[in-house]
Amino acid sequence: ANGAKPAPFAPAMEPEEWSEAVGVKLTDAKVRTIHGADIVATEAGLQPALQTEYFAAWELEDRPRRICLLTMDMTEDYRPYVGYLNDNIAALQSSFRSKGLPVFTSNWIRRPDDGLYGALDRFYGSAGVRSRENPTYIYLENGTLPMKEIAPTGEEIAAGLTIKSSHLSKFADVDSHGRSTFLLKLRALGVDTLV
């Protein structure tokens, strides 16, 4: 019967188990609740206390794909929060590039005075704008630029594989006919799987 096969992933792991499995050191294993989420402190920042390894119910060879990578909103303004990921992202980008697979890069471009209004504006309001703590916006002068260690190549820029976006979903940026510009690029490249 459909759905009768057991789920192909491991049960949730406690912090000591998953931190060892992924090589991240716990700096404080005491579970705390922040904004409704149970977290622990690690050398890589706050992480969910319970984590699960998920696996597909099929092998990649079973479903041939044309894959591309999207390095999403890893901008200079976010360096203090996610910059620790750069080495892993650079390795992933290198792997995709070595296989001739497209590597897209998106840049979050929202500024406090941009005149745009969306879900994040409604959620956060104007609180923290003056102190530069409102995460809706980019504040540094060059804050919308991708972090240099994982910036797109000249060839990727020339090929149009960069996305300057004011939307959380990169599919929400549309052309004058209302079509997703990102989806059009993916289709033109024959891409059917986004990483």
Side-chain angles (χ1 to χ4, degrees):
N2 193 16
K5 186 176 178 183
F9 46 84
M13 295 181 285
E14 295 291 333
E16 292 77 12
E17 184 181 2
W18 62 254
S19 63
E20 185 177 325
V22 298
V24 173
K25 182 181 175 188
L26 294 172
T27 57
D28 184 355
K30 181 178 179 185
V31 176
R32 292 179 170 77
T33 301
I34 297 180
H35 303 296
D38 290 340
I39 58 94
V40 292
T42 74
E43 65 186 358
L46 300 178
Q47 296 289 323
L50 295 178
Q51 297 196 23
T52 303
E53 284 188 273
Y54 293 92
F55 305 94
W58 43 272
E59 299 295 325
L60 285 176
E61 296 79 22
D62 299 337
R63 298 180 179 192
R65 299 282 187 225
R66 172 72 173 148
I67 299 172
C68 81
L69 176 65
L70 170 59
T71 305
M72 190 167 151
D73 299 348
M74 294 292 291
T75 60
E76 282 297 338
D77 214 59
Y78 296 155
R79 182 179 290 279
Y81 312 106
V82 293
Y84 69 91
L85 296 169
N86 284 348
D87 289 344
N88 292 335
I89 292 170
L92 192 57
Q93 289 174 327
S94 177
S95 178
F96 271 72
R97 289 173 179 141
S98 72
K99 293 172 177 49
L101 298 172
V103 175
F104 282 85
T105 302
S106 71
N107 298 42
W108 181 251
I109 61 170
R110 291 295 313 276
R111 298 279 186 177
D113 60 352
D114 61 18
L116 301 173
Y117 189 78
L120 288 179
D121 300 280
R122 289 187 294 277
F123 183 80
Y124 290 109
S126 61
V129 171
R130 203 171 276 152
S131 63
R132 296 180 168 200
E133 295 174 309
N134 186 316
T136 303
Y137 307 111
I138 298 291
Y139 299 98
L140 298 175
E141 183 178 339
N142 293 320
T144 63
L145 297 177
M147 291 182 226
K148 63 180 182 279
E149 303 93 321
I150 54 174
T153 65
E155 294 82 11
E156 289 162 353
I157 293 169
L161 302 184
T162 57
I163 305 165
K164 294 178 182 175
S165 180
S166 62
H167 302 285
L168 294 175
S169 169
K170 303 313 161 193
F171 291 97
D173 296 290
V174 297
D175 65 13
S176 59
H177 302 288
R179 299 174 299 187
S180 168
T181 53
F182 187 33
L183 182 59
L184 291 173
K185 289 177 182 184
L186 294 175
R187 285 183 177 160
L189 292 169
V191 170
D192 60 11
T193 303
L194 176 63
V195 177

